[in-house]
Amino acid sequence: MWQNNKSPPEIVNDLRNTFQSGKTKPIGYRVKQLKSLERMLKENIEPIVQAVTDDLNKSKQETILMEIDFLLNEIKYTLMHIYEWSKPEKPSTTIANVLDSVYILHDPYGVVLVMGAWNYPLLLTLSPVIGAIAAGNCVVMKPSDLSPATSKFLATRAPEYLDVDSYRVYEGGIPETTELLKERFDYIFYTGSTTVGKIIQASAAEHLTPTTLELGGKSPVYLDRSADVYTAAKRILWGKCVNAGQTCIAPDYLLCSKEIQGEFVNASRKVLKEFFGNDPKSSPDYGRILSERHVQRLSGLLKGANVALGGEIDVATKYISPTILLDVKPTDPVMQEEIFGPILPIITVENAFDAINFINSREKPLALYIFSNYKRDVEQILSNTSAGGVTVNDTVMHLTVHSLPFGGVGSSGMGNYHGKYSYDTFTHKKGVLHKNLGVIGETLSSPRYPPYTKGKLTY
Ligand code: NAD
């Protein structure tokens, strides 16, 4: 099934030889590879849409918007800035180094591993790769085994566009990945669940390999009376329903007052009709759940719940309708794990202070959403909670801003990427002090040499 014609040790050895040869170091080479990657995306729109449809039954528009366009924009932005980013930095110095050169060189790490997840199968594999190429590394890409059509697309097409001396795709599930992780990499960039993130971190520790872990968690939304409930419902439900809720930064649950809960359900009924008509099942714009196993898991979360909207499940077609649950308790099953599906539980709180306490009683989320026009409450929530990233008065959209770092904190991950942050992630900043060897420089150096006579003492 997998198209690996070389073993992990052979692949890593090949790439290490390439890296040592210096082939990936010139900026011109990196630019050429990024342009080739751009060409691969532009020339293969239909095959990509087909692969993602085969894997996830996503709508064509969602694949173009959330996978292809996002990658093309990321490449464009990187190409615009790569020369400026890669220049040596000149930090400020003190009088002690007035005769010397002090600068920071940007070294690529070497051979890096990028592991993607299935929910945005092309985006999550290639987006970090853009930063890794821009920074001058050799890359092993490991797409998710749960999105096999996209994995196959990458394994067959990437070698036609990217230099195989420097960039390889390695396919596989748990056994293949376990073998791959035995190799020594210079950096590992992993996207996926928190549980597997711990496995990756443990194997990286064997070689003291630095990592970025892009993980998941339960991302809360707080909505108060100052926000327009209909607009909020539109933005929250879009974030919840895109890719049928299988988005790492999908709003997981809603915190609002009892009074707003009712208004929100009424507004949601209207919004969902506008989005998907009377029957989301027959809408070409509404996705499906990855597998029957995940449908069963999600249906388990609905047992005994107070369903205000939706709740329709069809295991055979992997369908779950957009669903809203009322008066959910923090101890309910739906609040014990990341939902990763189109189910929105509502937990009632009195005010922003209650919301802060609730958020802080749980693991640090990957994203936090606040819908409010009360400036002071927004500031209170921002300064008293911790989250990977935040959007105020919308959901998901902070992901699209290239100048913002994207990543988790605590159990939702470590490190970040996008735009310059991707370039920085895959770059070791090497501090260089280039001393002057002249007589004046040597005189200035003399106080540090023994014997430490009284005249040399500063205090
Ligand atoms: P997944 O099953 O596709 O796994 C991710 C990667 O880990 C794949 O390459 C897979 O082959 C590999 N893998 C799985 N089990 C492994 C094991 N035992 N040993 C070694 N490698 C293994 O994806 P998933 O974990 O189901 O992804 C969903 C999770 O990822 C959710 O929690 C979601 O929130 C999170 N996620 C986070 C981001 C982010 O940017 N922070 C993005 C997307 C998804």
Side-chain angles (χ1 to χ4, degrees):
M1 179 186 183
W2 308 119
Q3 306 196 358
N4 303 314
N5 44 25
K6 285 200 169 184
S7 67
E10 288 169 326
I11 293 173
V12 172
N13 189 47
D14 287 355
L15 297 193
R16 205 164 286 295
N17 286 337
T18 303
F19 186 72
Q20 296 297 355
S21 77
K23 190 175 190 182
T24 58
K25 297 260 178 87
I27 307 293
Y29 174 87
R30 308 178 198 181
V31 166
K32 201 169 151 220
Q33 297 303 315
L34 288 171
K35 285 187 174 162
S36 267
L37 190 60
E38 187 178 41
R39 221 161 31 79
M40 180 183 94
L41 296 168
K42 286 183 175 166
E43 289 174 3
N44 289 281
I45 291 177
E46 283 309 322
I48 291 169
V49 168
Q50 190 56 53
V52 178
T53 304
D54 291 349
D55 286 332
L56 287 157
N57 223 335
K58 257 188 220 188
S59 81
K60 180 175 178 176
Q61 188 62 8
E62 261 185 35
T63 301
I64 291 176
L65 214 68
M66 307 283 286
E67 308 240 16
I68 301 173
D69 279 358
F70 197 96
L71 286 166
L72 287 173
N73 287 335
E74 185 79 11
I75 294 173
K76 200 169 154 199
Y77 186 80
T78 304
L79 287 172
M80 254 167 67
H81 295 283
I82 188 168
Y83 287 97
E84 160 204 334
W85 293 342
S86 55
K87 275 191 198 144
E89 293 169 46
K90 292 259 178 195
S92 62
T93 54
T94 64
I95 188 85
N97 299 109
V98 72
L99 297 177
D100 311 321
S101 291
V102 175
Y103 50 93
I104 301 165
L105 290 181
H106 293 181
D107 279 356
Y109 276 102
V111 180
V112 307
L113 170 63
V114 173
M115 295 179 63
W118 56 265
N119 56 331
Y120 291 87
L122 195 72
L123 174 74
L124 297 174
T125 307
L126 290 183
S127 182
V129 168
I130 295 167
I133 294 176
N137 297 278
C138 290
V139 189
V140 180
M141 295 163 235
K142 218 299 286 170
S144 174
D145 51 314
L146 299 182
S147 42
T150 311
S151 177
K152 188 171 181 201
F153 167 82
L154 272 175
T156 47
R157 292 297 164 88
E160 292 169 18
Y161 291 87
L162 292 174
D163 182 355
V164 287
D165 285 351
S166 313
Y167 315 108
R168 299 281 172 84
V169 177
Y170 185 78
E171 292 190 282
I174 296 176
E176 291 80 6
T177 314
T178 306
E179 282 309 301
L180 188 61
L181 286 167
K182 287 182 185 157
E183 293 308 305
R184 182 182 191 131
F185 290 96
D186 300 299
Y187 201 97
I188 298 178
F189 190 109
Y190 169 79
T191 302
S193 66
T194 302
T195 309
V196 177
K198 290 177 186 170
I199 297 174
I200 305 299
Q201 187 71 343
S203 68
E206 283 292 310
H207 299 295
L208 284 180
T209 301
T211 55
T212 292
L213 301 177
E214 294 286 342
L215 311 177
K218 290 181 86 62
S219 299
V221 189
Y222 173 67
L223 167 64
D224 74 21
R225 67 174 72 251
S226 69
D228 178 70
V229 175
Y230 170 74
T231 308
K234 226 173 175 175
R235 294 178 182 190
I236 293 167
L237 290 171
W238 172 75
K240 191 66 174 175
C241 293
V242 71
N243 201 19
Q246 302 161 113
T247 302
C248 56
I249 49 169
D252 190 274
Y253 62 93
L254 174 62
L255 297 168
C256 65
S257 69
K258 192 104 183 152
E259 170 203 354
I260 293 172
Q261 174 175 248
E263 282 178 46
F264 182 82
V265 171
N266 288 337
S268 297
R269 197 170 284 116
K270 202 165 159 225
V271 165
L272 289 172
K273 202 167 172 185
E274 284 166 15
F275 281 180
F276 308 117
N278 284 327
D279 180 21
K281 203 174 190 179
S282 53
S283 163
D285 302 322
Y286 188 68
R288 295 295 182 268
I289 302 301
L290 173 77
S291 63
E292 288 188 11
R293 186 172 66 81
H294 280 276
V295 180
Q296 303 283 15
R297 175 183 68 79
L298 290 163
S299 107
L301 300 181
L302 293 183
K303 283 212 178 83
N306 181 358
V307 177
L309 273 184
E312 195 194 330
I313 294 173
D314 181 0
V315 179
T317 58
K318 296 180 246 171
Y319 171 78
I320 299 189
S321 60
T323 298
I324 297 182
L325 308 180
L326 293 190
D327 296 321
V328 173
K329 292 192 287 302
T331 48
D332 286 352
V334 75
M335 290 305 294
Q336 307 316 310
E337 60 184 81
E338 181 181 358
I339 298 170
F340 227 55
I343 301 170
L344 183 72
I346 305 181
I347 293 201
T348 55
V349 291
E350 292 289 318
N351 49 37
F353 181 73
D354 272 4
I356 290 171
N357 283 339
F358 188 85
I359 293 163
N360 288 339
S361 70
R362 309 206 138 221
E363 295 286 2
K364 293 176 182 176
L366 183 57
L368 168 64
Y369 303 114
I370 309 163
F371 285 80
S372 176
N373 284 318
Y374 295 141
K375 204 166 161 241
R376 229 194 58 184
D377 282 4
V378 173
E379 281 167 10
Q380 282 293 321
I381 298 173
L382 285 175
S383 59
N384 291 299
T385 58
S386 178
V390 179
T391 297
V392 178
N393 292 332
D394 207 337
T395 63
V396 178
M397 297 308 284
H398 60 290
L399 169 89
T400 64
V401 183
H402 295 295
S403 50
L404 286 177
F406 180 83
V409 57
S411 78
S412 58
M414 58 180 81
N416 49 52
Y417 73 132
H418 288 181
K420 181 164 189 301
Y421 298 95
S422 293
Y423 172 86
D424 286 342
T425 287
F426 290 103
T427 299
H428 167 64
K429 299 212 168 180
K430 185 164 73 184
V432 180
L433 168 63
H434 191 145
K435 293 283 286 182
N436 179 293
L437 268 176
V439 179
I440 304 177
E442 188 52 15
T443 310
L444 287 175
S445 291
S446 64
R448 72 181 145 105
Y449 299 136
Y452 301 123
T453 53
K454 219 170 176 191
K456 289 181 179 174
L457 290 177
T458 330
Y459 301 105

